[in-house]
Amino acid sequence: MKPESPLNTIPPLVIALTLLIVGIEVAFQLGNAGIIGGPRALGWRLQAVDSYAFSGAVLDRVLVAGDYSFNILRRFVTYPFINMQLTQVAFCAALTLALGKFVGEFYGGLKVLVVYLFTSIVGAIIYGLCVSGTYPLFGGFPPIYGLIGAYTYALWLRLGQAGQNQIFAFRLIGVLLGIQLLYGIVIGIVMTAAPPPTWIAELSGFFAGFAISLLLAPGGWATFVSRMRQRA
């Protein structure tokens, strides 16, 4: 009897998201190496940032100018698929697979996509409200933090069912925020410049992922209210 492949337990939508993240980076790398695309391929990554990244100016176009064109609205969900570094892509792909597998098992495969897109949009909106101008937001971490939020809520429920301390559900986000704080300090010292304010979108993504999980989890809002009444 052949052992079952680990990929068989990962929801197809999670695999599709991961392949999209990796596939776009592969195209950038092949273009930079001159294998595809010709001389123009050297600028594909910057062109993608220009066409698909998000910024405060994009939100202004929507709220102030009333521009609801596809070219504007797509940026709310396309920016996570543009990454600047190969290591960033590797982390995004690995975390999407790992977190997507858990979230898909607990909530259902389709709801992984709901969490991913919803937290991408919320992260972009909060970023646009806090960071003015054209400083771009791109990279896959805001929706990954959204998946962490969904994971945290699922773990919070399971710890409650087991009668354990539910504060332990927040250990992962605590560790990540600590690493990010250390990274910001190192960047500030080494480069004598503030790190990009993408943490605004990432933290917003976490809270958005946790919040929407109140509705997406088995039992939905009723389960959450029941848990709160038991603690009261």
Side-chain angles (χ1 to χ4, degrees), residues 15-102:
I15 296 176
L17 284 172
T18 305
L19 289 177
L20 184 57
I21 293 169
V22 174
I24 291 173
E25 181 61 27
V26 168
F28 289 156
Q29 293 294 332
L30 292 177
N32 287 339
I35 298 174
I36 62 174
R40 292 184 178 182
L42 294 175
W44 276 355
R45 194 187 302 272
L46 293 179
Q47 291 173 17
V49 171
D50 185 59
S51 299
Y52 298 100
F54 188 82
S55 69
V58 172
L59 188 63
D60 289 341
R61 287 282 297 272
V62 174
L63 298 180
V64 179
D67 186 350
Y68 295 97
S69 64
F70 175 74
N71 289 341
I72 289 294
L73 294 182
R74 71 184 180 188
R75 293 173 181 264
F76 286 83
V77 294
T78 56
Y79 74 87
F81 299 100
I82 309 165
N83 293 280
M84 186 54 67
Q85 299 175 347
L86 190 58
T87 53
Q88 185 180 20
V89 174
F91 276 115
C92 287
L95 289 173
T96 299
L97 281 175
L99 292 167
K101 178 181 183 297
F102 181 88

Side-chain angles (χ1 to χ4, degrees), residues 156-179:
W156 184 84
L157 287 178
R158 289 187 173 182
L159 289 174
Q161 292 168 355
Q164 300 179 24
N165 191 341
Q166 290 174 292
I167 195 66
F168 292 138
F170 296 89
R171 285 183 295 185
L172 178 58
I173 185 62
V175 170
L176 289 175
L177 289 177
I179 293 173

Side-chain angles (χ1 to χ4, degrees), residues 125-196:
I125 291 174
I126 301 302
Y127 178 89
L129 291 174
C130 297
V131 182
S132 60
T134 58
Y135 196 96
L137 168 67
F138 58 94
F141 284 114
I144 285 175
Y145 271 74
L147 292 175
I148 293 173
Y151 167 85
T152 300
Y153 181 67
L155 191 58
W156 184 84
L157 287 178
R158 289 187 173 182
L159 289 174
Q161 292 168 355
Q164 300 179 24
N165 191 341
Q166 290 174 292
I167 195 66
F168 292 138
F170 296 89
R171 285 183 295 185
L172 178 58
I173 185 62
V175 170
L176 289 175
L177 289 177
I179 293 173
Q180 195 150 27
L181 176 61
L182 180 62
Y183 171 79
I185 293 174
V186 171
I187 290 294
I189 294 175
V190 175
M191 301 185 64
T192 64

